[in-house]
Amino acid sequence: MPSIVQLQALLLLALVSFALAVPTRNAPIQKRSFKVERVANPNFKGRSVGAGTRALIKAHRKYSIPLPQGLVDAMNAANAANAAPAATVADALSNSASVQVGVPAGGQKAKAKASGTRSATGSLSTGGASSSKANGTAGKGTGIVTATPEQGDVEYLSPVNIGGQTINMDFDTGSSDLWVFSTGLNRASQAGHTPYDATKSTTSKVMTGASWSISYGDGSGAKGTVVTDTVNIGGASVDNQAVEMATAVSQSFVADANSNGLVGLAYSKLNTVKPTQQKTFFDNAMPSLAMPVFTADLRKNAVGSYEFGNIDSTKFNGSLTWANVNTTQGFWQFSSNKFQVGTGAPMTIQGGQAIADTGTTLMLANAAIVNAYYSQVNGAVNNATVGGVTFPCNSMLPDLAVDVGGSYMATVRGSDINFAPVDAAGTTCFGGVQAIASNLQIYGDIMFKSQFVAFNGGNNSLGMAPHQ
């Protein structure tokens, strides 16, 4: 039989334990970490013939930059050889009235007619001043999600959970729409894809009267209606996120069966929803993240990751060097006024500007950079047959360093610039660095394979360091 003193002691201990278990009103919220296991892509078999030409065409389409005549000729010749007339320059929307906008002769810029059109200048035709209220998860946290390369490293795809449905999507720091294949598309357009079904989600809500439309200079694009739903990326979750459901898509998107849509991670001013522009997933998630950042750790022929709310210092060598971002046009844009080929002397480009774009495969640079680089590669030629610079596949390519913000020279490994074969024998290869007729250079996945990149939305800056 316990004594009265013992009972009193036990009662006191229980009261103390209970008091410790109750959180105080001002206790800090615990910061959390979220991870998704990485999975190798079982379909990776190396890049197919023509991958370089297709990637170059895709980049021109994305930024409404007219296709050079040589690239048009190369594409049409490839289509004729493959008896695929549907994939011509005019890649009209399916499941809707066709939008036929061709590339005019003489290299003048084509005018995209659909609303919400983006160009390399970042101009956007959108309306509205307010957005739907989206809420991040309670508490500060981080989210990490894998990025698995589809065949040929054409895109890095990652699983996204929308309303309880897991869908592989392409993370794109060069656009600001979260759009997805939906069950509103006709069956032919859904074939090979995982469409989002809003009726199967208990958290989706129709955004009455809202629509979106992305159209590129050649007539390709996508458009549809809008709902809000809960979007979870690697544990970083946002309630009432605008989800743009495609009801019409171009054949070029339909043919890309690995991707079911885009997660735009540029600045929200590029979002195309009307009548009220919507915020990106990152802008909505930022208040709930442990740090107002996301990072891209993309690897060649290997699984990489995007992480939200944390910078993993084990993924890069040394320390990050930060550059100011010019947000005027809505891109992660920075000055890039110098470059260096191999161990040669640095050279200057007056007024150079570039953007960091995970949604573009190649690295598209000023012609001065391209000419200087390939002048150091034996056998390199501007190959009219494929619409870009090629070289012998066994070439030893020099590294290329480009200026990022005036404070850092980002080195792109020569081995990463050997992009894809242009012939079945694998004797001639397509360069991962190509010229673009734009004042804005596009540093795509070719650069990301060599550099770890952090995007800081808190102070509008970019951090870079070589991969670990």
Side-chain angles (χ1 to χ4, degrees):
M1 176 74 68
S3 66
I4 294 178
V5 173
Q6 289 174 317
L7 289 173
Q8 289 175 330
L10 289 171
L11 180 61
L12 179 61
L13 180 61
L15 289 171
V16 169
S17 299
F18 177 76
L20 290 174
V22 177
T24 62
R25 178 169 296 181
N26 297 319
I29 298 172
Q30 184 179 1
K31 296 179 180 180
R32 296 170 294 162
S33 177
F34 303 92
K35 292 189 177 181
V36 176
E37 278 192 36
R38 298 177 179 182
V39 182
N41 182 357
N43 297 318
F44 181 77
K45 298 176 182 177
R47 300 182 184 95
S48 60
V49 173
T53 303
R54 292 190 294 272
L56 189 54
I57 290 169
K58 185 175 179 180
H60 279 76
R61 281 176 163 168
K62 178 177 180 179
Y63 289 96
S64 295
I65 298 171
L67 295 173
Q69 189 58 47
L71 197 53
V72 173
D73 293 342
M75 178 175 64
N76 289 337
N79 288 336
N82 294 326
T88 58
V89 174
D91 181 15
L93 292 172
S94 61
N95 210 32
S96 73
S98 296
V99 180
Q100 298 284 349
V101 184
V103 178
Q108 293 182 348
K109 186 169 183 176
K111 292 182 180 179
K113 295 186 177 179
S115 62
T117 299
R118 285 186 298 110
S119 71
T121 62
S123 61
L124 197 70
S125 173
T126 56
S130 62
S131 64
S132 69
K133 281 203 164 183
N135 304 310
T137 49
K140 303 291 184 180
T142 63
I144 186 170
V145 66
T146 59
T148 303
E150 65 174 282
Q151 183 171 329
D153 281 350
V154 172
E155 290 171 333
Y156 290 84
L157 303 175
S158 301
V160 175
N161 188 289
I162 305 176
Q165 303 166 55
T166 299
I167 301 170
N168 275 340
M169 300 176 73
D170 183 19
F171 284 27
D172 182 11
T173 59
S175 68
S176 304
D177 290 88
L178 193 163
W179 74 266
V180 64
F181 274 67
S182 79
T183 52
L185 288 164
N186 60 34
R187 288 189 176 274
S189 295
Q190 293 182 45
H193 292 272
T194 304
Y196 164 72
D197 187 348
T199 65
K200 292 183 179 179
S201 170
T202 60
T203 50
S204 70
K205 300 173 186 174
V206 175
M207 191 178 291
T208 305
S211 63
W212 64 280
S213 177
I214 299 175
S215 179
Y216 304 135
D218 60 358
S220 65
K223 66 180 184 179
T225 57
V226 187
V227 299
T228 61
D229 208 339
T230 299
V231 176
N232 187 301
I233 298 178
S237 184
V238 170
D239 297 326
N240 300 316
Q241 170 67 46
V243 177
E244 302 164 35
M245 302 190 302
T247 57
V249 292
S250 295
Q251 178 59 31
S252 56
F253 289 111
V254 175
D256 183 6
N258 288 292
S259 180
N260 305 293
L262 296 179
V263 177
L265 295 172
Y267 286 88
S268 294
K269 65 168 63 179
L270 290 180
N271 181 265
T272 71
V273 173
K274 287 187 174 185
T276 305
Q277 208 170 40
Q278 299 298 304
K279 288 185 177 181
T280 65
F281 172 85
F282 179 53
D283 272 355
N284 283 325
M286 255 199 293
S288 69
L289 297 176
M291 298 172 65
V293 302
F294 69 92
T295 63
D297 177 30
L298 309 181
R299 309 281 175 149
K300 182 176 182 178
N301 294 350
V303 173
S305 68
Y306 291 91
E307 186 166 6
F308 293 82
N310 181 54
I311 297 175
D312 187 347
S313 60
T314 67
K315 301 298 184 182
F316 54 88
N317 289 318
S319 58
L320 293 172
T321 301
W322 293 90
N324 292 329
V325 169
N326 178 354
T327 66
T328 305
Q329 300 184 74
F331 299 116
W332 293 93
Q333 179 179 337
F334 49 89
S335 62
S336 187
N337 295 313
K338 294 184 297 184
F339 70 95
Q340 181 178 1
V341 180
T343 58
M347 290 178 270
T348 301
I349 299 176
Q350 294 297 331
Q353 294 282 310
I355 63 174
D357 181 10
T358 60
T360 294
T361 304
L362 303 176
M363 184 171 176
L364 306 180
N366 185 290
I369 295 178
V370 176
N371 291 334
Y373 181 80
Y374 288 113
S375 71
Q376 303 301 309
V377 179
N378 290 330
V381 295
N382 193 354
N383 191 330
T385 304
V386 296
V389 179
T390 62
F391 44 80
C393 290
N394 60 2
S395 297
M396 295 295 294
L397 301 181
D399 292 344
L400 173 65
V402 291
D403 169 33
V404 177
S407 57
Y408 179 67
M409 293 293 285
T411 297
V412 181
R413 294 183 297 261
S415 58
D416 288 339
I417 296 175
N418 189 331
F419 179 66
V422 299
D423 54 10
T427 57
T428 303
C429 281
F430 195 88
V433 176
Q434 297 287 341
I436 191 166
S438 168
N439 294 327
L440 198 58
Q441 302 172 101
I442 304 165
Y443 294 171
D445 290 341
I446 293 294
M447 182 196 72
F448 282 87
K449 290 173 188 176
S450 296
Q451 296 288 321
F452 178 94
V453 184
F455 300 77
N456 191 324
N459 62 7
N460 297 323
S461 62
L462 273 176
M464 289 194 193
H467 277 309
Q468 181 70 275

